[in-house]
Amino acid sequence: MYKNVFLKKGKEESLKRFHPWIFSGAIHHIDGEPEEGDVVRVVSAEGKFLAVGHWQIGSIAVRVLSFSDIEINAAFWEERVRVAYNMRCAIGVAGTEQNNTYRLIHGEGDCLPGLVVDVYGKTAVMQAHSVGMHVDRMAIADALLSQTQGAVEHVYYKSETTLPFKANLGQENGFIRGGSADNIAVENGLKFHIDWLKGQKTGFFVDQRDNRSLLEHYAQGRALLNMFCYTGGFSVYAMRGGARLVHSVDSSAKAVDLVNKNIELNFPGDPRHQAFAEDAFKYLDAMGDQYDLIILDPPAFAKHKDSLKQALKGYTRLNAKAFEKIQPGGILFTFSCSQVVSKDNFRTAVFSAAAQSGRRVRILHQLHQPADHPINIYHPEGEYLKGLVLYVE
Ligand code: SAH
């Protein structure tokens, strides 16, 4: 029997609107002492059932798994994975020859707060961001194998850096089902080496797939700078799109190795591409005005609300440098993946940068995360990636 978590009077409002988090401040008392990662029942002050979810010590105390009074068992995980997989088939990213790289589970967006699963070929890379998902990892891995119609054969678990340090779970990265050294994934017909062992996140930024396709469409004949290139996703698409020159820049030497490998995999010996391990601000200061297509896809500048102001200044400073140097008639793809930076915040930061440069700037596209990173309508915090495509006169 799950332990009951009693909320304070009136604190059930957000749950009635299906918001999946319960903050510790909303809790009145608990029957017994649940272990971190246990499933608990959340009830109102009057004892009325509200939700079941994973218990954790911290500001978010319960992450809701269901608003029905059910048992969280193998059938539960199977159903959630099946629904998520069917959705990826429906939107055309799973089960095709052209593309075997996609996000299968996107946390709250798939009603599984604390769980991220990206698929690369036959391997699912799974990350737990909550203790509960760590505790249930084996049942989830089984569901990934049984509910994806043969799409997933191996499950690599990679939660060393995503779980709360204090929980002291002694987790390790490694295969928990199957095992495969084949780490080449296909995204829209292009091949990528995925380094799920040491790479950032699950090894690749799956969330830029649609935006990379749009970039490809604009690349013909252009001289491109892909700043913060990481594995070089945008660069590889630009090469296929017929760019005249592609320069990839990242401060990490490891990233530069990866981008070179990925270019070699798709366009062996093609002299149009070069990669540089350099700091973005230094490179932008020192570079000339040769580029007429620039991508700025930096890491999150703000991880918490307190750093929002600083982050916005950072986005303005970065974008101002691109506006200053981009060729007349140039196109700028600029992004923010900070969840605490809203679409309006970001647009204002880029607006300030444009104004500093005095250039005439038009918005061509407003970009966001793709359909395999869905936003749960009851959890607007799930919206994080935003971008602008700008035409600079
Ligand atoms: N555009 C990439 C994802 C970018 S992730 C893609 O499509 O896959 C952000 C990258 O910025 C990381 O690879 C990180 O190494 C790099 N980075 C962080 N700080 C940097 C800096 N000051 N200058 C250059 N690169 C930086």
Side-chain angles (χ1 to χ4, degrees):
M1 214 23 230
Y2 300 142
K3 298 190 171 76
N4 285 325
V5 173
F6 286 81
L7 298 189
K8 292 176 185 161
K9 222 174 162 44
K11 288 290 183 191
E12 66 274 21
E13 282 311 308
S14 71
L15 281 176
K16 284 191 183 153
R17 292 190 302 272
F18 305 112
H19 194 280
W21 296 343
I22 292 142
F23 291 98
S24 54
I27 294 172
H28 185 269
H29 72 281
I30 308 168
D31 273 351
E33 277 182 36
E35 298 264 327
E36 269 199 288
D38 278 358
V39 175
V40 292
R41 276 176 98 243
V42 182
V43 298
S44 69
E46 296 77 28
K48 193 170 156 284
F49 171 84
L50 296 165
V52 283
H54 280 144
W55 170 255
Q56 189 161 321
I57 295 163
S59 118
I60 304 175
V62 181
R63 288 169 173 82
V64 173
L65 296 168
S66 176
F67 293 96
S68 303
D69 200 356
I70 56 166
E71 200 188 320
I72 302 303
N73 53 19
F76 168 82
W77 298 112
E78 284 163 9
E79 198 248 352
R80 296 264 27 105
V81 170
R82 189 164 60 243
V83 168
Y85 182 71
N86 287 344
M87 194 275 247
R88 273 58 180 185
C89 291
I91 61 173
V93 297
T96 73
E97 255 181 37
Q98 276 298 93
N99 195 78
N100 62 20
T101 307
Y102 54 94
R103 177 152 295 189
L104 174 56
I105 308 279
H106 185 57
E108 286 81 359
D110 285 293
C111 303
L112 291 172
L115 183 66
V116 163
V117 178
D118 287 337
V119 175
Y120 303 111
K122 295 275 180 199
T123 299
V125 181
M126 174 171 151
Q127 280 194 323
H129 293 259
S130 70
V131 180
M133 290 300 181
H134 173 75
V135 170
D136 287 328
R137 65 195 180 284
M138 296 303 180
I140 298 168
D142 286 335
L144 290 171
L145 296 183
S146 69
Q147 303 301 311
T148 53
Q149 298 165 30
V152 173
E153 290 178 3
H154 319 283
V155 180
Y156 188 85
Y157 186 61
K158 191 184 181 194
S159 300
E160 234 168 14
T161 55
T162 56
L163 281 166
F165 177 66
K166 276 185 272 179
N168 204 7
L169 301 164
Q171 69 277 9
E172 282 177 7
N173 293 344
F175 280 99
I176 55 174
R177 292 289 180 274
S180 165
D182 175 12
N183 68 342
I184 293 182
V186 182
E187 187 185 86
N188 287 328
L190 293 165
K191 287 183 246 155
F192 292 93
H193 287 283
I194 311 293
D195 187 359
W196 53 67
L197 272 75
K198 296 201 205 77
Q200 301 177 49
K201 308 246 172 140
T202 63
F204 192 64
F205 284 78
V206 187
D207 56 1
Q208 290 286 25
R209 181 196 321 104
D210 292 353
N211 302 329
R212 290 177 189 134
S213 280
L214 184 69
L215 182 276
E216 178 177 1
H217 173 75
Y218 283 112
Q220 181 65 43
R222 290 193 180 257
L224 177 137
L225 171 63
N226 180 10
M227 182 52 78
F228 308 99
C229 64
Y230 188 37
T231 55
F234 283 104
S235 303
V236 176
Y237 277 71
M239 296 286 282
R240 189 170 67 179
R244 174 160 61 80
L245 166 162
V246 177
H247 288 169
S248 306
V249 180
D250 199 290
S251 57
S252 142
K254 179 112 210 327
V256 167
D257 282 349
L258 278 168
V259 62
N260 281 330
K261 266 172 91 179
N262 286 330
I263 294 281
E264 209 40 42
L265 192 60
N266 294 277
F267 303 96
D270 195 320
R272 291 176 296 155
H273 181 262
Q274 268 184 289
F276 308 95
E278 269 197 58
D279 172 72
F281 287 94
K282 278 196 191 139
Y283 188 92
L284 290 166
D285 277 338
M287 74 184 195
D289 60 359
Q290 71 265 45
Y291 301 114
D292 59 0
L293 183 50
I294 297 181
I295 301 149
L296 300 174
D297 184 22
F301 281 179
K303 295 241 154 72
H304 299 286
K305 278 208 183 92
D306 340 337
S307 47
L308 178 62
K309 237 175 127 184
Q310 262 327 94
L312 294 179
K313 275 194 193 150
Y315 287 118
T316 298
R317 204 157 75 83
L318 179 69
N319 283 277
K321 291 190 191 295
F323 284 125
E324 207 181 292
K325 302 264 176 89
I326 197 167
Q327 281 277 322
I331 293 176
L332 174 64
F333 277 62
T334 182
F335 296 96
S336 163
C337 61
S338 310
Q339 188 244 310
V340 296
V341 173
S342 72
K343 201 163 76 181
D344 288 344
N345 286 154
F346 181 59
R347 190 153 146 182
T348 307
V350 176
F351 154 86
S352 304
Q356 278 175 28
S357 73
R359 309 275 299 258
R360 282 200 198 101
V361 177
R362 297 174 179 79
I363 298 176
L364 305 183
H365 302 273
Q366 305 191 47
L367 306 180
H368 41 78
Q369 64 217 62
D372 56 345
H373 294 58
I375 302 160
N376 178 341
I377 201 158
Y378 306 113
H379 178 258
E381 297 93 328
E383 187 170 356
Y384 71 101
L385 182 64
K386 53 250 145 218
L388 293 168
V389 181
L390 305 162
Y391 187 84
V392 188
E393 225 178 282

